[in-house]
Amino acid sequence: MSGFFYVLEDDARLLFVDDDPILREFARVNLESPSTTVDVAAGGEDALQKMARQRYDLVLLDLEMPGLDGFAVLERMRADLALRDVPVVVQTGREDVEAVDRCFHLGAASFVMKPLNWRLLTYQIRYVLRAERRAGIERGAEAA
């Protein structure tokens, strides 16, 4: 393999939500590229406040956080017309089937396990963004 290349080459603005400050810094280091901006939120309330002020192409959401957890954030996003269609990739250390099923039932686009493999996560983000953009084009064509 010759040289370094960015997996996330499409223009995108991501929000990485996690109560772990080290993971938030790793997210910026590993996910930002010349065309991808990564904002971070320390918890659920912080994330919802940022989403009220800024439009995001994708949210990476931890489940286990003090205060407003990831399930509650996802529920509020899906109940909000402005946030309803924002794709969410849930990232967590939980492996129980109930958590996975609940995330997908609440409208998560994907689910990744901690510890995070940052390179694989970038490909997952790329896939979800492209699928969402395709779906948006199809929704636009149906509405016309």
Side-chain angles (χ1 to χ4, degrees), residues 54-116:
Q54 173 68 50
R55 186 190 158 285
Y56 290 97
D57 297 296
L58 184 138
V59 174
L60 293 130
L61 181 63
D62 185 26
L63 287 183
E64 302 293 324
M65 297 181 290
L68 199 61
D69 69 9
F71 293 116
V73 171
L74 193 50
E75 285 175 6
R76 288 191 187 181
M77 287 178 70
R78 295 307 175 235
D80 184 328
L81 287 175
L83 302 174
R84 178 177 293 165
D85 293 326
V86 176
V88 174
V89 174
V90 172
Q91 39 112 6
T92 185
R94 289 183 62 168
E95 295 182 34
D96 57 291
V97 173
E98 179 185 321
V100 175
D101 287 347
R102 186 172 175 200
C103 287
F104 284 117
H105 178 74
L106 290 170
S110 189
F111 192 96
V112 294
M113 296 302 302
K114 289 181 181 178
L116 297 172

Side-chain angles (χ1 to χ4, degrees), residues 11 24 33 46 50 52 59 86 91 99 105 110 117-118 127 132 137:
D11 288 340
R24 292 194 306 269
S33 73
D46 186 23
K50 288 185 179 189
V59 174
V86 176
Q91 39 112 6
H105 178 74
S110 189
N117 177 321
W118 295 100
Y127 171 79
E132 180 57 32
I137 291 168

Side-chain angles (χ1 to χ4, degrees), residues 8 10-14 36 57-58 87 124-134:
L8 296 175
D10 297 334
D11 288 340
R13 185 172 206 105
L14 312 178
T36 302
D57 297 296
L58 184 138
Q124 184 72 5
I125 292 166
R126 183 173 156 181
Y127 171 79
V128 170
L129 284 172
R130 288 184 177 177
E132 180 57 32
R133 287 178 178 151
R134 251 182 271 127

